[in-house]
Amino acid sequence: MRFIKILNQQEKKEIERGLQQQFGVDFVPGLIVKRGEERLFLFSGSFSEKDIEHLERCTFIERIGIYFAKIIGNDIRLSIEGSQILKDQIKKNIFFLDSKQAEEWMMGRELLIKTGKHGFLIMKYGEDFLGTGKASEEKIGNFIPKNRRLKERGQ
Amino acid sequence: MKTYEIQNHAPIRLPNASRSFSPKPLFLERMKKLLGKDFYEYMEILKKPVANSIRCNTLKISPEELLKRLKSKHWSINQPFKDYKEIMIVKGKIANIEKLNDFAIKNSFRELVDEDEIIDLEPGELGRSIEHLLGYYYVQEIASMLPILALKPGPGEIVLDIAAAPGSKTTQIAAAMKNTGTIIANDVSLKRLKILASNMERCGATNTIITKKDGIALCKRLKENGFLFDKILLDAPCSGEGTLRSSPITYQMWNPNTIRYLSKLQKGLLASALEILKPKGEIVYSTCTHAPEENEEVVDFVLKEFPDVKIEAIKLPIKCRPGITEWQNKNYDKKVEKSCRIYPQDNDTEGFFIAKLRRIK
């Protein structure tokens, strides 16, 4: 059984609808590939679904495209790359960090900030898109993966 | 002229290295034979660590913008090639920035900063910066960037990278293709594939499919299923003689049996790869070693086996020496001279070998 699933037009539209509601994004530029129940990958290459199926007959496919988003319940959380790829379309639910907050954020720490919002926010510092945080009453939860975190001196 | 005693060469220890390694006498003998009068210069440069070089990831940021950002961190950057602005050397960072001439700082005239004001980056600093974590650059030795400059992948092409991990060259290909076309990035090792996937993600290379298979078996299956490629990169597994400056442990691992084994493997890989090249398609064969058995001998082998394959001249922005045509009583096709030997002492880089082949029908 294939453990990867290329979303059809209707399924892709559904993801785009979610992204539109959350961040104002209209369009995902490429095929969306689902791995497991939650993880979404974006493939911008020229191979069609048929080409990929054909390739699967030759070899084990480890990845198609790159991880760009995760489905969490009814919401979508964009990865660092997801936020960067869609940056020109992201119009709402952006949280602007100052330099101190950006450093804390990239160290993987939650930010103790009351945003007045609940749910996922795109984190932005200057021109940099730094992925998605989850705002709750008192803080913004951090999802920066360990291998992408800034290390403190001496670490 | 200074001469080297091949039998009793002093151990080589790079600054900051915890251990020193002694080159094996046979290795020295072979290099002396390859280099002749340049052998001394070669041995001298092996004692120097290689420069810190990075490649701007143009999928995410322009070289101009990256340069601006890195300079604002007081890093001293040099762009050695005018036609490849994405290639940068990080010379270090400017010490005592507050004491420097205000005019130079405010106007970003870093070239006015004296060399002795530049100090080395801390170990690992290149990989820890926010720009690296966000995928704005890839830490890559200059010689390792050259195979892709020779391959010249373009937008819309179908490209196969047979031994892709850890992904420095694959991400370079994706950038050259502007994330269009398709790259199939293959490697045989699952552990290495994870590093490859992580680098592809960090660099935002969305046009890539990662596969896991032995290279020869993959080419065979692709051929059976009718896949053909515009461009192929075979950056072959090799004995790594060119990486001694950054990886002195190679001195210890070096042995002639490995070279013989690898030569056979490389011939199999290159011959298999040529089978799935489109007519007029191009393949770059590269290694990070100087051993002729792994370089010219492999190219010579396929030139004899594949009459419809021609070797192409390569134009690179550094000094290249022609491929050799004679080694250990073997004569190679004269045309292998079109391949490119890159020696550390010629360009202050690591060592590499690059050959470009084209299928004519």
Side-chain angles (χ1 to χ4, degrees):
Chain A
M1 194 181 82
R2 289 178 69 180
F3 75 113
I4 45 176
K5 179 185 188 307
I6 299 170
L7 301 192
N8 62 31
Q9 279 304 316
Q10 200 183 330
E11 291 164 326
K12 186 183 173 194
K13 280 260 176 293
E14 214 169 292
I15 299 291
E16 286 171 336
R17 247 196 309 275
L19 288 169
Q20 164 62 237
Q21 272 177 7
Q22 281 181 250
F23 308 120
V25 169
D26 293 320
F27 173 69
V28 175
L31 289 177
I32 298 179
V33 180
K34 197 171 174 185
R35 196 170 152 170
E37 287 304 302
E38 299 171 326
R39 285 164 69 83
L40 300 177
F41 289 72
L42 173 65
F43 177 65
S44 67
S46 56
F47 266 30
S48 63
E49 184 171 358
K50 206 174 152 193
D51 294 328
I52 293 168
E53 277 173 15
H54 196 183
L55 182 65
E56 266 191 311
R57 276 182 238 140
C58 304
T59 179
F60 175 74
I61 294 180
E62 173 68 24
R63 294 273 168 99
I64 301 173
I66 61 164
Y67 170 63
F68 88 107
K70 190 169 186 176
I71 300 171
I72 315 267
N74 293 323
D75 293 327
I76 297 167
R77 191 181 83 204
L78 292 174
S79 70
I80 296 175
E81 275 61 46
S83 69
Q84 291 174 343
I85 290 164
L86 300 173
K87 66 180 181 182
D88 294 336
Q89 298 186 61
I90 294 170
K91 297 180 204 81
K92 58 184 181 184
N93 288 325
I94 304 171
F95 186 82
F96 295 92
L97 299 155
D98 63 29
S99 66
K100 180 75 191 143
Q101 290 166 338
E103 193 177 334
E104 293 276 311
W105 178 256
M106 287 307 295
M107 284 178 173
R109 295 177 184 156
E110 57 185 26
L111 303 178
L112 299 174
I113 300 168
K114 290 179 185 176
T115 60
K117 292 190 175 187
H118 284 261
F120 291 115
L121 299 177
I122 298 293
M123 308 303 275
K124 190 178 178 196
Y125 169 61
E127 294 300 308
D128 295 332
F129 284 76
L130 309 177
T132 312
K134 189 170 189 185
S136 56
E137 205 65 50
E138 305 282 337
K139 63 182 185 188
I140 304 175
N142 193 315
F143 303 97
I144 301 287
K146 275 188 185 162
N147 65 341
R148 303 292 292 275
R149 289 181 193 168
L150 271 179
K151 290 181 178 59
E152 286 180 82
R153 280 174 186 276
Q155 266 194 303
Chain B
M1 192 180 108
K2 219 168 167 180
T3 55
Y4 269 82
E5 284 302 320
I6 281 177
Q7 294 302 323
N8 299 305
H9 195 279
I12 289 179
R13 185 179 196 147
L14 291 175
N16 304 323
S18 55
R19 292 173 66 189
S20 57
F21 298 94
S22 296
K24 293 179 181 166
L26 182 57
F27 168 72
L28 294 171
E29 195 181 305
R30 285 167 57 96
M31 289 310 298
K32 196 168 189 183
K33 196 173 168 195
L34 269 176
L35 289 165
K37 64 178 173 48
D38 297 330
F39 177 70
Y40 169 70
E41 207 188 335
Y42 168 74
M43 292 308 295
E44 283 302 301
I45 202 148
L46 292 186
K47 295 175 191 166
K48 265 182 65 188
V50 79
N52 286 320
S53 49
I54 60 173
R55 178 177 48 78
C56 172
N57 177 20
T58 52
L59 291 175
K60 289 195 173 185
I61 192 169
S62 69
E64 295 75 25
E65 189 57 35
L66 179 64
L67 193 64
K68 208 166 114 189
R69 286 183 69 131
L70 298 182
K71 282 186 171 181
S72 75
K73 296 158 82 88
H74 310 306
W75 286 13
S76 175
I77 311 278
N78 174 26
Q79 287 167 295
F81 311 118
K82 70 174 173 52
D83 293 333
Y84 303 99
K85 294 285 188 197
E86 71 277 18
I87 300 175
M88 300 176 187
I89 293 175
V90 185
K91 292 195 285 184
K93 55 187 173 186
I94 301 163
N96 302 321
I97 194 84
E98 66 282 356
K99 290 182 193 163
L100 289 175
N101 180 326
D102 274 353
F103 179 78
I105 300 301
K106 282 178 190 159
N107 292 284
S108 292
F109 289 163
R110 305 286 153 158
E111 58 271 32
L112 297 182
V113 175
D114 291 336
E115 282 291 325
D116 58 7
E117 299 285 2
I118 298 171
I119 57 168
D120 288 343
L121 296 184
E122 289 163 29
E125 195 170 349
L126 272 182
R128 284 199 306 264
S129 78
I130 182 86
E131 287 78 13
H132 182 260
L133 295 169
L134 292 178
Y136 294 168
Y137 66 78
Y138 199 108
V139 181
Q140 187 178 2
E141 212 285 314
I142 285 182
S144 145
M145 302 178 197
L146 301 172
I148 307 308
L149 303 190
L151 187 65
K152 293 194 178 83
E157 291 181 332
I158 309 295
V159 179
L160 172 64
D161 185 354
I162 295 177
S168 53
K169 297 177 190 73
T170 323
T171 52
Q172 195 180 353
I173 295 171
M177 294 168 70
K178 302 184 194 314
N179 260 340
T180 65
T182 295
I183 304 171
I184 295 177
N186 179 71
D187 208 278
V188 69
S189 150
L190 186 61
K191 194 175 159 195
R192 284 166 60 84
L193 276 184
K194 286 187 175 157
I195 301 168
L196 171 67
S198 164
N199 281 323
M200 300 313 287
E201 187 174 316
R202 186 176 60 81
C203 291
T206 52
N207 66 340
T208 306
I209 297 173
I210 298 179
T211 62
K212 179 187 178 298
K213 207 170 182 72
D214 162 75
I216 294 175
L218 174 71
C219 294
K220 187 170 174 252
R221 293 289 291 149
L222 289 170
K223 188 187 174 194
E224 286 164 0
N225 282 276
F227 283 96
L228 290 174
F229 296 84
D230 297 299
K231 303 268 168 75
I232 298 177
L233 174 67
L234 174 55
D235 186 43
C238 71
S239 56
E241 292 171 352
T243 65
L244 288 167
R245 293 177 73 187
S246 58
S247 173
I249 197 169
T250 308
Y251 286 115
Q252 194 175 314
M253 291 156 65
W254 186 92
N255 90 65
N257 294 334
T258 308
I259 291 175
R260 277 192 288 276
Y261 162 76
L262 286 166
S263 176
K264 200 174 162 192
L265 174 69
Q266 290 151 348
K267 286 172 191 167
L269 280 165
L270 186 54
S272 307
L274 284 166
E275 298 274 3
I276 47 171
L277 201 55
K278 282 183 186 172
K280 295 186 182 169
E282 292 174 328
I283 183 165
V284 161
Y285 173 76
S286 59
T287 70
C288 55
T289 201
H290 303 302
E293 295 90 335
E294 300 181 59
N295 295 326
E296 288 88 347
E297 187 174 315
V298 177
V299 177
D300 175 72
F301 169 78
V302 295
L303 288 177
K304 287 188 174 100
E305 290 288 313
F306 293 83
D308 62 339
V309 167
K310 296 277 177 254
I311 184 164
E312 302 268 296
I314 309 167
K315 200 177 164 201
L316 293 171
I318 61 158
K319 178 179 173 183
C320 281
R321 300 192 191 198
I324 61 165
T325 54
E326 196 188 331
W327 180 250
Q328 314 273 50
N329 302 320
K330 281 185 186 170
N331 290 306
Y332 306 136
D333 189 320
K334 184 101 174 82
K335 292 193 282 292
V336 299
E337 282 184 340
K338 285 185 178 173
S339 48
C340 176
R341 285 193 155 258
I342 296 153
Y343 285 109
Q345 74 275 18
D346 288 342
N347 307 286
D348 194 6
T349 61
E350 296 271 42
F352 241 81
F353 173 88
I354 303 171
K356 186 175 182 178
L357 303 161
R358 176 194 284 265
R359 180 151 221 155
I360 49 174
K361 57 184 178 186

